[in-house]
Amino acid sequence: MDKSVKGVIAAALGTLLLAGCGGGAKEDATGGGEAKTAAVDGWDASDACALLDKAAVGDALKDQVAETSLGLVNKAEGANAATSECTYRLASGGSATLMTRKSPIADNTPEAIALAKSTTAKTMAAFSDKKIEDVPGLGKGAFFVPGINQLNVFLDDSRFVILTVGSAPNDSARATAVSLVGKIKP
């Protein structure tokens, strides 16, 4: 698979997953209509670049991050999730991306996670014979997409990230991505 096809697939999957994860609002025990996310209230998904330091990305990819750019910004409003994407452009010409999502309605349910995984698997099957890999012990649920080197992590009930390290060597991309997700600000 050439780099342009990988880029299109990664972007499509990321956009699909950021937009597609969700469901109806869940009521908390007080009937307030929104689940509480107090533990992560300072986590701003509308600024992905602030959540993962560019020096950490450069160190992990053994390259210097020449610049970062923030895009696809959506501020949370009502039941709509906050989202953004940070692109880390490497001095060598490669790149990595971090897409972030935080929902005010705690919609990272087991069903939503399973749907995201199966949708990704079906999309990838159209382009590749590589299988989606579960990543146990990382967040509420996680899976890795080999070939495009994309790690999808449901951090908890409301936060979700997609980290694509397409510039990483295929044999170490999963470990590199897992390491970097561990460096995302809590």
Side-chain angles (χ1 to χ4, degrees), residues 26-36:
K26 293 184 174 192
E27 295 204 13
D28 65 15
T30 64
E34 293 183 3
K36 303 295 180 194

Side-chain angles (χ1 to χ4, degrees), residues 7-79:
V8 169
I9 293 169
L13 288 173
T15 302
L16 174 70
L17 289 171
L18 281 174
C21 295
K26 293 184 174 192
E27 295 204 13
D28 65 15
T30 64
E34 293 183 3
K36 303 295 180 194
T37 57
V40 294
D41 280 348
W43 199 82
D44 185 5
S46 65
D47 190 357
C49 292
L51 296 174
L52 181 59
D53 183 64
K54 70 180 188 178
V57 174
D59 288 346
L61 295 173
K62 297 174 180 48
D63 199 348
Q64 180 180 358
V65 174
E67 70 174 312
T68 60
S69 60
L70 183 65
L72 303 176
V73 175
N74 183 58
K75 296 283 188 180
E77 184 178 329

Side-chain angles (χ1 to χ4, degrees), residues 15-183:
T15 302
L16 174 70
L17 289 171
L18 281 174
C21 295
K26 293 184 174 192
E27 295 204 13
D28 65 15
T30 64
E34 293 183 3
K36 303 295 180 194
T37 57
V40 294
D41 280 348
W43 199 82
D44 185 5
S46 65
D47 190 357
C49 292
L51 296 174
L52 181 59
D53 183 64
K54 70 180 188 178
V57 174
D59 288 346
L61 295 173
K62 297 174 180 48
D63 199 348
Q64 180 180 358
V65 174
E67 70 174 312
T68 60
S69 60
L70 183 65
L72 303 176
V73 175
N74 183 58
K75 296 283 188 180
E77 184 178 329
N80 291 330
T83 61
S84 68
E85 175 185 70
C86 185
T87 301
Y88 301 84
R89 296 193 201 305
L90 304 174
S92 66
S95 67
T97 60
L98 175 66
M99 294 182 186
T100 56
R101 178 182 189 273
K102 180 181 175 193
S103 172
I105 58 174
D107 57 1
N108 287 345
T109 63
E111 297 81 12
I113 294 168
L115 179 61
K117 184 179 174 188
S118 71
T119 301
T120 301
K122 288 176 185 172
T123 302
M124 283 304 297
F127 299 99
S128 172
D129 61 351
K130 295 183 176 166
K131 302 294 182 205
I132 305 300
E133 302 169 3
D134 284 321
V135 181
L138 190 58
K140 187 173 179 180
F143 59 91
F144 183 75
V145 184
I148 61 172
N149 300 337
Q150 183 182 81
L151 181 60
N152 298 259
V153 183
F154 295 84
L155 297 168
D156 53 31
D157 289 342
S158 62
R159 298 178 304 150
F160 173 61
V161 299
I162 301 172
L163 178 64
T164 305
V165 291
S167 298
N170 287 338
D171 61 344
S172 63
R174 178 175 161 164
T176 299
V178 168
S179 171
L180 280 170
V181 164
K183 295 176 184 195

